[in-house]
Amino acid sequence: MTTRDNRSNEFLDEVFGLREEVAVVGGGTGILGGVIAEYLGKAGAKVAVLGRNQEEGQRRVKVITDSGGEAIFVPYVATDAESIAQAHAQVRDAFGAVTVAVNAVGGNQPSAVVSADQAFEELTLDAVRENFDLNLTSAWLACQEFGPAMLANGRGSVINIGSMAGGERPLSRVPVYAIAKSGVATLTYFLAREWQGVVRVNMIVPGFFETTQNRGLLRNPDGSLSERGEQIVAHTPMGRFGEPDEVGGAAVYLASKASAFTTGLAFVIDGGFSVQSI
């Protein structure tokens, strides 16, 4: 006898299940990328966690395999085309053709932040290039590597990670990061059109989540909110920063059949920050 719970589980597995998918998560050793890798794995995808931090990558792999999923860690350099190609080959050998590619590499760097001690005109070209490479070049190269293979196979989903800083009203103090993430948005929209829905290309736009890279901007050394952190929370209707787990479900949706007619989407997860007014 089929129970109501069984029918619900079958429906969710049919619509959101990822058992037929092979996913690579670039930046899967980071906080948000790691959560996305775990969610994709728990939803049934075979997952390759790509990054530099082997300890953190293996930790994410263990979470997935402990839940009954399949996952491997693949070390790579996200800004090096040859390294990405080698990682791709390793994933193909382990799991077969990649059908989902998440580009979660990124973050801000103190050397590219405008502050009382460093004016915009004092930012060095090396700092600008390094930040562009981390946030934009990494996504560009990954799309060039994985996208054509998906096109050749007739289907795929690319999920880029954008930022609130990269919108129409860029945030203060982070011009390099904002410009780079604006580039990720343009890349997403261009490829959604270019690849004609054969490969769907979408973007998750997180609001303010505490990560290793931005904690120094959001909190004081004693753990209390910084002035900037207080401003952000006050401007967020939900009155808090996001929790990393609150990004994972969006990735499952964008990787699954549920989003079969979705491409060129900026999926904003910001607690209402972008719609707040007076």
Side-chain angles (χ1 to χ4, degrees):
M1 179 178 179
T2 302
T3 67
R4 181 176 181 178
D5 286 344
N6 286 338
R7 290 198 303 272
S8 297
N9 289 338
E10 289 172 1
F11 170 76
L12 292 173
D13 187 57
E14 173 64 25
V15 177
F16 294 101
L18 303 178
R19 291 180 182 174
E20 299 178 359
E21 311 303 329
V22 173
V24 294
V25 182
T29 56
I31 292 176
L32 297 185
V35 165
I36 289 172
E38 290 182 11
Y39 269 62
L40 296 179
K42 290 178 180 180
K46 297 176 181 177
V47 178
V49 178
L50 275 55
R52 289 186 173 186
N53 187 329
Q54 181 169 354
E55 181 180 355
E56 184 61 24
Q58 294 293 2
R59 187 179 74 82
R60 297 293 186 179
V61 166
K62 187 175 186 302
V63 171
I64 295 169
T65 56
D66 284 352
S67 68
E70 295 183 63
I72 58 172
F73 168 68
V74 180
Y76 87 136
V77 178
T79 56
D80 182 271
E82 184 176 350
S83 180
I84 298 171
Q86 290 172 351
H88 188 183
Q90 189 171 338
V91 176
R92 280 199 307 266
D93 289 344
F95 292 145
V98 172
T99 60
V100 178
V102 180
N103 300 316
V105 176
N108 207 3
Q109 299 161 312
S111 61
V113 173
V114 171
S115 67
D117 300 321
Q118 181 172 248
F120 169 80
E121 58 271 22
E122 295 174 320
L123 298 177
T124 68
L125 187 55
D126 284 345
V128 171
R129 285 172 171 163
E130 185 177 355
N131 204 279
F132 278 178
D133 279 350
L134 178 65
N135 291 285
L136 178 55
T137 303
S138 61
W140 180 286
L141 291 176
C143 287
Q144 285 189 319
E145 175 63 32
F146 295 108
M150 293 179 184
L151 285 169
N153 290 329
R155 72 182 187 93
S157 173
V158 172
I159 305 170
N160 293 322
I161 305 300
S163 171
M164 297 299 298
E168 295 178 0
R169 295 179 296 277
L171 301 176
S172 63
R173 298 181 59 187
V174 291
V176 184
Y177 178 72
I179 293 167
K181 284 300 188 181
S182 294
V184 172
T186 301
L187 176 67
T188 300
Y189 304 144
F190 174 82
L191 291 178
R193 181 191 64 189
E194 187 76 3
W195 290 344
Q196 297 290 300
V198 177
V199 176
R200 298 179 293 106
V201 188
N202 296 288
M203 177 175 63
I204 294 174
V205 183
F208 292 90
F209 293 73
E210 283 191 68
T211 65
T212 303
Q213 290 91 345
N214 69 10
R215 190 165 292 124
L217 287 173
L218 301 180
R219 292 196 181 274
N220 298 314
D222 65 1
S224 62
L225 290 177
S226 65
E227 180 181 359
R228 187 177 183 84
E230 289 178 346
Q231 291 172 343
I232 290 167
V233 171
H235 191 83
T236 302
M238 295 186 72
R240 62 177 176 85
F241 299 131
E243 296 291 336
D245 280 358
E246 292 168 328
V247 172
V252 172
Y253 166 72
L254 293 174
S256 71
K257 295 177 182 177
S259 62
F261 197 56
T262 301
T263 195
L265 172 71
F267 199 128
V268 178
I269 307 173
D270 70 347
F273 182 92
S274 58
V275 299
Q276 179 71 299
S277 185
I278 59 171

